[in-house]
Amino acid sequence: MSGIVLVGVDGSVTARRAADSAKNLAAALGAELRVITAFEGAHVEVVESGGDKWILSDADAAEKVASKVAAELASDQLTTSYGAVFGKAGEALVKEAERVGAKVIVVGNRRMQGLARVLGSVANTVAHKAPCDVYIAKTDEP
């Protein structure tokens, strides 16, 4: 199977565990690993110092998180890519899966118990709306 295994990260330990599971799954399937970070804000800040000018945004910050994790997961045997997607995490994963034609979305099981399970979580949103298979990785314990 080729195709794309998609995972979302936010810099947390549990998201990294899901990313590790996604890497293993992508390698086993011969698929590309795509790492994304969702962002909800449209905050843009212009910073000037002397003649230099930088434009900083929530999208840039999100892309840096995804880029860092993708670089850490990269190997000679695995094609990786990364990006930032606007929206709440679950919705962003579904939107990106549709856009790239992902074969599998990997999410962690964090907050899948108790009240959060009823009210919603990333895994719950993805499981109900995904256009492809969903793999829920055990991330709540080391």
Side-chain angles (χ1 to χ4, degrees):
M1 167 192 178
S2 56
I4 296 173
V5 173
L6 180 65
V7 65
V9 297
D10 61 5
S12 69
V13 171
T14 55
R16 178 51 195 258
R17 288 180 189 143
D20 288 337
S21 291
K23 174 186 177 178
N24 294 337
L25 183 60
L29 296 174
E32 174 185 335
L33 175 63
R34 179 146 181 85
V35 180
I36 67 160
T37 299
F39 66 98
E40 292 185 58
H43 177 78
V44 176
E45 183 177 345
V46 178
V47 178
E48 295 184 54
S49 176
D52 295 328
K53 182 179 191 179
W54 297 275
I55 300 174
L56 308 173
S57 71
D58 292 341
D60 292 335
E63 189 164 303
K64 284 180 185 175
V65 171
S67 171
K68 180 179 185 261
V69 173
E72 291 170 354
L73 296 173
S75 73
D76 292 339
Q77 296 78 32
L78 185 65
T79 300
T80 59
S81 62
Y82 63 88
V85 179
F86 181 78
K88 293 183 178 185
E91 298 292 336
L93 278 164
V94 170
K95 181 169 54 172
E96 184 71 356
E98 291 169 345
R99 188 184 77 77
V100 301
K103 299 289 185 190
V104 179
I105 300 172
V106 176
V107 293
N109 68 337
R110 183 174 145 210
R111 295 187 354 187
M112 287 291 291
Q113 297 86 21
L115 189 57
R117 180 178 57 102
V118 175
L119 296 177
S121 68
V122 173
N124 194 28
T125 298
V126 172
H128 284 93
K129 297 182 178 183
C132 58
D133 292 339
V134 177
Y135 178 91
I136 299 176
K138 184 152 180 65
T139 61
D140 57 356
E141 296 177 4

